[in-house]
């Protein structure tokens, strides 16, 4: 499936235990993404003090409770956590896998299958459903979900802009001020991190690869952790990354093993299963021929980290990881 950051991650995680979405992010690019959702919720009328009617990205007029307490927002947990909101349930995929990077806030939140089966949704008696994308309500699904609880579709682009997504969720939940503060704080963190990197190493190139068994994937320059490295922090995009991602809309694209030795990145971030080593599935000779590996600038990161996702929380953690490895070492 190609439903943005978080969907892509979920699908690939099933194969490796994620080729998005978002977050996730989810997901999800910066404001420069040409595929960003153009929808902005707008109150269509003032009703009572207890509810508002907002128009979602698909044109549905949705009655939003003033203070929803039992929200289900599959693939949108990152913006909820960023806004200080705990959902009634969090998405999981086969085997019970969840977004590990959010578990300091969601550890006690029950799980629900990421495809949101109707009976499972109803069992949580939600008072608001937030849908990440139009694909989640295709066919007659919207009518069935809206019979359970007010259902608001946040985005309908293939890769929703995570910033716009956060602002939309904030508007729906009457937390626009909080959303603006999250974005302001994130921009300040980006500016500070970019300054630190420039002062420490100057302008350098970087790449992120994801190793699953003998398969290697490289991040899209406009999505997920690629968005953070290149658009936010100003790292140069290596030619191999550009070529592998050309014409692709997924967050991560397959990379031929023979391309690894020509991966012209000064810094290499390697996402891999805990306990595994890069040369478990890749020959040592190929691995050791990678320029960043030879220079001692290859850093392994757990699949439980936020590098496969998108959102204010995920991206902030990615920045922390980059500073730890590039600036602090």
């Amino acid at each position: 499936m190609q439903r943005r950051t978080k969907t892509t991650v979920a699908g690939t995680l099933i194969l490796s235990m994620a080729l998005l979405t978002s977050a996730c992010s989810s997901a999800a690019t910066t404001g420069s993404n040409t595929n960003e959702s153009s929808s902005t919720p707008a109150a269509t009328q003032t009703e009572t003090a207890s509810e508002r009617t907002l128009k979602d990205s698909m044109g549905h007029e949705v009655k939003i409770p003033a203070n929803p307490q039992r929200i289900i927002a599959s693939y949108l947990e990152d913006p909820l956590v960023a806004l200080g909101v705990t959902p009634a349930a969090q998405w999981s995929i086969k085997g019970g896998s969840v977004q590990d990077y959010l578990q300091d806030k969601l550890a006690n939140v029950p799980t629900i299958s990421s495809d949101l089966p109707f009976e499972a949704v109803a069992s949580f008696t939600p008072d608001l459903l937030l849908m990440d994308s139009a694909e989640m309500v295709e066919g007659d699904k919207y009518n069935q979900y809206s019979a359970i609880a007010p259902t608001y579709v946040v985005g309908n682009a293939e890769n929703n802009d995570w910033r716009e997504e956060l602002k939309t969720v904030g508007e729906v939940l009457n937390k626009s001020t909080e959303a603006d503060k999250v974005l302001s704080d994130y921009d300040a963190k980006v500016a500070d991190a970019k300054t630190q990197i420039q002062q420490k190493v100057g302008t350098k190139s970087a790449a992120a690869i994801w190793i699953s068994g003998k398969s290697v994937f490289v991040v899209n320059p406009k999505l997920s952790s690629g968005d953070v490295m290149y658009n936010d922090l100003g790292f140069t995009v290596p030619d191999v990354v550009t070529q592998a991602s050309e014409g692709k809309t997924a967050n991560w694209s397959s990379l031929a093993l023979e391309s690894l030795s020509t991966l012209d990145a000064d810094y290499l971030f390697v996402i891999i299963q805990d306990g595994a080593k890069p040369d478990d599935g890749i020959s040592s000779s190929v691995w050791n021929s990678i320029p960043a590996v030879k220079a001692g600038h290859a850093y392994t990161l757990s699949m439980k980290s936020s590098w496969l996702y998108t959102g204010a929380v995920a991206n902030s953690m990615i920045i922390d990881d980059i500073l730890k490895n590039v600036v602090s070492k």
Side-chain angles (χ1 to χ4, degrees):
M1 288 192 299
Q2 302 249 338
R3 189 186 67 208
R4 61 160 295 157
T5 293
K6 291 154 285 202
T7 307
T8 300
V9 168
T12 311
L13 281 173
I14 295 172
L15 294 174
S16 64
M17 1 220 355
L19 270 165
L20 203 236
T21 59
S22 166
C24 49
S25 100
S26 102
T29 67
T30 64
S32 62
N33 180 13
T34 58
N35 286 327
E36 70 180 27
S37 171
S38 60
S39 65
T40 301
T44 59
Q45 67 183 72
T46 301
E47 296 184 345
T48 67
S50 62
E51 66 180 20
R52 295 166 297 148
T53 297
L54 304 181
K55 185 176 291 186
D56 73 5
S57 67
M58 296 184 67
H60 304 119
E61 292 192 349
V62 186
K63 291 184 178 180
I64 309 294
N67 187 27
Q69 297 296 307
R70 298 189 57 77
I71 301 168
I72 293 180
S74 188
Y75 298 111
L76 291 167
E77 287 84 359
D78 190 296
L80 289 187
V81 168
L83 294 172
V85 176
T86 302
Q90 61 177 316
W91 77 256
S92 66
I93 57 175
K94 292 180 180 180
S97 297
V98 295
Q99 296 164 105
D100 292 280
Y101 77 100
L102 293 175
Q103 293 313 298
D104 61 331
K105 301 295 184 183
L106 303 182
N108 298 318
V109 174
T111 61
I112 187 170
S113 178
S114 59
D115 59 350
L116 298 182
F118 301 118
E119 291 184 2
V121 171
S123 72
F124 284 99
T125 60
D127 51 12
L128 179 64
L129 302 178
L130 298 179
M131 296 297 180
D132 170 67
S133 69
E135 185 179 350
M136 296 185 72
V137 294
E138 62 187 357
D140 192 50
K141 289 182 179 180
Y142 183 85
N143 291 331
Q144 296 186 66
Y145 284 127
S146 60
I148 299 172
T151 302
Y152 187 100
V153 183
V154 172
N156 56 16
E158 186 169 7
N159 292 293
N160 294 316
D161 181 306
W162 73 265
R163 294 171 180 270
E164 294 303 316
E165 194 170 69
L166 174 64
K167 289 192 288 185
T168 298
V169 172
E171 173 69 16
V172 172
L173 300 183
N174 259 332
K175 290 182 175 291
S176 291
T177 299
E178 291 88 337
D180 290 342
K181 179 66 163 53
V182 169
L183 291 173
S184 177
D185 288 348
Y186 179 78
D187 288 341
K189 181 169 186 170
V190 165
D192 178 66
K194 192 171 183 178
T195 297
Q196 290 188 57
I197 293 167
Q198 284 291 320
Q199 291 177 345
K200 179 74 173 184
V201 301
T203 301
K204 298 291 185 179
S205 60
I209 61 173
W210 175 9
I211 299 176
S212 178
K214 295 183 178 180
S215 298
V216 180
F217 306 94
V218 65
V219 73
N220 190 305
K222 297 180 179 180
L223 302 171
S224 189
S225 44
D227 177 39
V228 179
M229 289 190 295
Y230 308 125
N231 295 329
D232 286 344
L233 299 182
F235 282 98
T236 301
V237 185
D239 291 339
V240 170
V241 176
T242 300
Q243 294 162 8
S245 304
E246 187 174 5
K248 307 290 181 58
T249 58
N251 295 329
W252 297 81
S253 299
S254 180
L255 185 67
L257 292 181
E258 56 266 25
S259 297
L260 283 173
S261 61
T262 61
L263 181 50
D264 48 337
D266 295 307
Y267 296 96
L268 182 64
F269 300 96
V270 184
I271 298 90
I272 196 166
Q273 185 74 39
D274 286 348
K277 297 182 297 182
D279 56 3
D280 287 342
I282 302 171
S283 70
S284 296
S285 60
V286 171
W287 176 251
N288 291 323
S289 70
I290 300 172
V293 175
K294 290 193 292 186
H297 292 160
Y299 311 106
T300 57
L301 299 150
S302 171
M303 280 181 58
K304 294 182 179 180
S305 70
S306 68
W307 279 70
L308 301 180
Y309 301 92
T310 274
V313 179
N315 292 3
S316 181
M317 290 181 173
I318 291 169
I319 291 173
D320 289 340
D321 287 335
I322 291 173
L323 290 177
K324 175 183 176 181
N325 289 291
V326 174
V327 175
S328 299
K329 289 188 175 180

